[in-house]
Amino acid sequence: MAFTLLLIAGLQVLNAEATRPCVSPLYAEYGQIAATFACSLPSSYYGIYWYKSPARNERSVVSIIDGVVMSGDDKFGISPSGSLIVRNITFEDEHLYRLIILRTRQQSETHDLRLTVYAYPGNPVPLIDVCGGQDFCFAERDRIPTLSCKIEGARPPVSLQWERQAVGSDPELVDSLPSTSFTDPLYSTFSHTNGSRVNGTRRLDLLTCVSSIYVPSSEHHQSSVLLENVLDSQCYQLTGNHERRHYLIGSDVALDCSQDSPQFVVWKKRTYGRKFEPIAFRAGGDLEEVGEGFEISSNGSLIIKSYGVTHEGEYICIDASLSSEGCQLHSTRALAVLPPAHQVPTIAECEKKLDCILTRPSSGVLSCYVEGVRPVLLLEWEQVNSTKPSITFSHHQYTTDNRGEVSDVRLTASYELTGGPDAGPIIVACVIKGPVMTGQQTTATIVINSPAHAELSSDMSCNDTPASSTIAWAIAAVTSATSLVLSLILVGLLIAVRNGGMYRRMDGRPTPL
């Protein structure tokens, strides 16, 4: 097949720039099946010739002459309107192409058109070195001498720029050092900035790396790092000077910041190494990162979902708004309480009753306990509603049985009645003294095992409700006295009947017994 040379003698050449019929450059993505120059060619022409370069003596790769298509390479084709089709795009296809239009045998025009092959980066979002692949992270400014971001695997190279945004201000450019490396056929772009010198007065700053891609169209992506100025912060000097609070296991807990709805907020938790590590942070309304089991509410509070033993510890909130900066410390402990029906100690001989009567000698041992609690509770024996102590406790012995996350606690103490054997009943209580559920108690009425109270020594009575032990003792005493009177009457009747049974009537019928 004959090929047409670029040099065509004897033709009138028109001004190509003034009459360019095709869009240039044409952008085609690497690996694209086909790319077509968008051209608006004359409705009538004698011939169209496409060349791979403007070089002289270049042979055309495809042409139409007087309506006949001529092609010397399967990689190229031509549309019915005369536009060049480039198939199976590679980076070798990126160069200038020449178009010659023969309007007549004597009149032609020439146009040089560019094909640009681009490779879109696999990740168009810049990667910040301290963020570990995330597009938003937190860092302490004092630990990082420099910050770097990058975009890899792009063609042409991407533009990168650092910006800084403080609370209540518009983003401003940060001095940075860009660089580009080329690994044929792709580019990698880097941008470095001095993180420790960004700002030395603000507690929190937001630094953003912005990537600008202009091929095939203009678009921008960004990733950000929230920086805390730790060395100049007074927050960490306040640790230990705050109240410890207990929260029920399984409940949702809310910890407040120092101000309502801050623009920047960082929540940290103290680790076993005594250092605070970030667990949740937010910048503005659309940048947020939280650890598993945590949330940040709309007003900046930290929400701990289903509070458990692993959540115990110290928390700190660092926040910043347009008007001020602040911090707030929290110390939390997990709390496991007894079931609702038994949120009081159990007296050993009362079988989980709230109030009972015990018949005891004037001295002995009393024991009470709580089960399945956290933290370990402090128990104490004491006399109830008495202006004159009539019982003393000594030799207190605590035992704690740990069962995973909860414990069983038992208090055993020796007692001695000081009112003598004729003393009335004494009401004692096993009381929780803290650190939580302080004041919860179970009472017992001790009846001295002596002749004066013999009738009460044969039984022990327990009530399901916390009724007054004094009333219970009084009822028992009245019941015992009534029983004694009835017993005496019955004995008398029996004696009389037995004596009468020894005689018979004169008629021979037995006397009724």
Side-chain angles (χ1 to χ4, degrees):
M1 181 179 293
F3 297 98
T4 304
L5 295 177
L6 176 62
L7 179 62
I8 303 177
L11 298 181
Q12 180 183 0
V13 180
L14 302 179
N15 187 335
E17 293 300 325
T19 58
R20 176 176 290 178
C22 304
V23 176
S24 179
L26 167 64
Y27 294 111
E29 187 173 6
Y30 175 77
Q32 187 173 325
I33 295 176
T36 303
F37 280 94
C39 299
S40 297
L41 300 176
S43 56
S44 62
Y45 52 82
Y46 172 74
I48 292 178
Y49 300 87
W50 284 97
Y51 301 85
K52 288 179 62 175
S53 78
R56 295 179 65 86
N57 300 324
E58 181 78 23
R59 294 182 181 273
S60 66
V61 294
V62 65
S63 62
I64 299 179
I65 301 175
D66 201 15
V68 179
V69 176
M70 304 177 65
S71 177
D73 193 334
D74 291 339
K75 184 176 180 61
F76 302 96
I78 193 167
S79 69
S81 64
S83 298
L84 176 66
I85 301 172
V86 184
R87 302 185 178 95
N88 301 320
I89 302 298
T90 67
F91 292 113
E92 287 73 20
D93 298 323
E94 181 177 281
H95 48 74
L96 284 175
Y97 291 79
R98 173 157 289 186
L99 167 64
I100 295 181
I101 302 174
L102 296 180
R103 293 181 177 271
T104 65
R105 290 178 178 271
Q106 290 78 32
Q107 186 182 45
S108 71
E109 58 185 79
T110 301
H111 306 277
D112 290 336
L113 309 170
R114 176 170 293 280
L115 171 61
T116 298
V117 179
Y118 68 91
Y120 205 72
N123 183 9
V125 178
L127 297 177
I128 300 178
D129 53 357
V130 298
C131 288
Q134 302 296 318
D135 58 7
F136 178 51
C137 71
F138 168 84
E140 295 177 353
R141 179 188 302 149
D142 316 89
R143 290 185 167 191
I144 47 175
T146 60
L147 283 171
S148 177
C149 63
K150 65 180 179 180
I151 290 284
E152 294 181 305
R155 182 179 176 131
V158 175
S159 173
L160 292 177
Q161 177 63 56
W162 281 98
E163 297 178 350
R164 183 186 67 84
Q165 182 176 1
V167 175
S169 64
D170 294 329
E172 59 185 34
L173 294 179
V174 175
D175 291 338
S176 58
L177 179 64
S179 62
T180 301
S181 64
F182 178 70
T183 303
D184 193 20
L186 301 176
Y187 295 87
S188 295
T189 305
F190 305 85
S191 184
H192 312 273
T193 187
N194 192 326
S196 61
R197 295 182 180 178
V198 172
N199 187 277
T201 59
R202 283 179 285 268
R203 184 169 292 160
L204 294 173
D205 269 317
L206 184 67
L207 259 67
T208 300
C209 180
V210 180
S211 66
S212 298
I213 300 174
Y214 300 104
V215 175
S217 59
S218 179
E219 59 182 79
H220 306 278
H221 302 272
Q222 65 184 38
S223 54
S224 303
V225 53
L226 185 60
L227 291 180
E228 179 193 4
N229 187 358
V230 177
L231 292 183
D232 293 338
S233 176
Q234 303 297 317
C235 296
Y236 303 99
Q237 301 177 14
L238 303 176
T239 57
N241 299 326
H242 50 285
E243 179 184 359
R244 176 175 292 175
R245 297 182 179 180
H246 291 81
Y247 298 98
L248 187 64
I249 290 178
S251 63
D252 290 348
V253 173
L255 306 179
D256 297 331
C257 279
S258 65
Q259 53 187 324
D260 189 38
S261 302
Q263 184 174 356
F264 294 167
V265 58
V266 177
W267 278 98
K268 293 182 174 182
K269 184 178 185 291
R270 191 188 290 276
T271 63
Y272 291 108
R274 306 302 296 165
K275 184 185 182 304
F276 282 96
E277 296 290 347
I279 56 174
F281 42 91
R282 174 192 291 167
D286 54 353
L287 295 176
E288 179 175 301
E289 185 71 26
V290 295
E292 185 177 358
F294 299 100
E295 294 179 2
I296 299 180
S297 68
S298 58
N299 66 352
S301 297
L302 179 68
I303 307 299
I304 305 176
K305 307 296 290 185
S306 188
Y307 189 93
V309 175
T310 57
H311 296 120
E312 284 186 329
E314 289 184 309
Y315 295 80
I316 187 170
C317 173
I318 299 97
D319 54 59
S321 63
L322 182 61
S323 59
S324 64
E325 296 178 324
C327 51
Q328 181 71 38
L329 289 164
H330 297 270
S331 181
T332 71
R333 291 292 301 274
L335 170 64
V337 299
L338 298 169
H342 300 125
Q343 292 186 0
V344 291
T346 298
I347 297 177
E349 298 181 35
C350 288
E351 300 179 354
K352 296 188 180 295
K353 305 301 180 181
L354 301 182
D355 197 51
C356 68
I357 298 175
L358 300 176
T359 301
R360 288 299 189 88
S362 59
S363 63
V365 174
L366 289 174
S367 180
C368 64
Y369 58 89
V370 288
E371 295 177 318
V373 294
R374 184 184 181 93
V376 174
L377 301 180
L378 178 64
L379 302 177
E380 186 174 302
W381 281 105
E382 60 184 35
Q383 186 174 353
V384 179
N385 298 330
S386 177
T387 57
K388 182 180 180 180
S390 54
I391 186 171
T392 58
F393 296 96
S394 62
H395 301 95
H396 299 82
Q397 182 180 358
Y398 282 95
T399 57
T400 302
D401 182 16
N402 296 319
R403 297 188 288 113
E405 296 179 351
V406 296
S407 302
D408 299 337
V409 181
R410 177 179 290 269
L411 169 62
T412 301
S414 299
Y415 75 89
E416 183 174 356
L417 303 178
T418 59
D422 296 327
I426 298 171
I427 303 176
V428 295
C430 181
V431 186
I432 297 176
K433 290 297 186 179
V436 294
M437 297 192 295
T438 302
Q440 297 281 73
Q441 66 181 36
T442 299
T443 61
T445 301
I446 297 179
V447 179
I448 304 172
N449 188 7
S450 65
H453 307 287
E455 297 299 332
L456 292 179
S457 62
S458 61
D459 193 18
M460 179 180 72
S461 172
C462 293
N463 301 315
D464 290 329
T465 57
S468 169
S469 295
T470 303
I471 295 175
W473 177 85
I475 293 173
V478 171
T479 302
S480 178
T482 303
S483 300
L484 179 59
V485 173
L486 292 175
S487 298
L488 291 175
I489 294 173
L490 180 59
V491 169
L493 290 174
L494 289 174
I495 293 173
V497 169
R498 181 175 295 276
N499 291 335
M502 296 175 61
Y503 302 95
R504 290 182 177 270
R505 295 179 49 168
M506 294 300 294
D507 58 6
R509 288 179 296 173
T511 303
L513 296 177

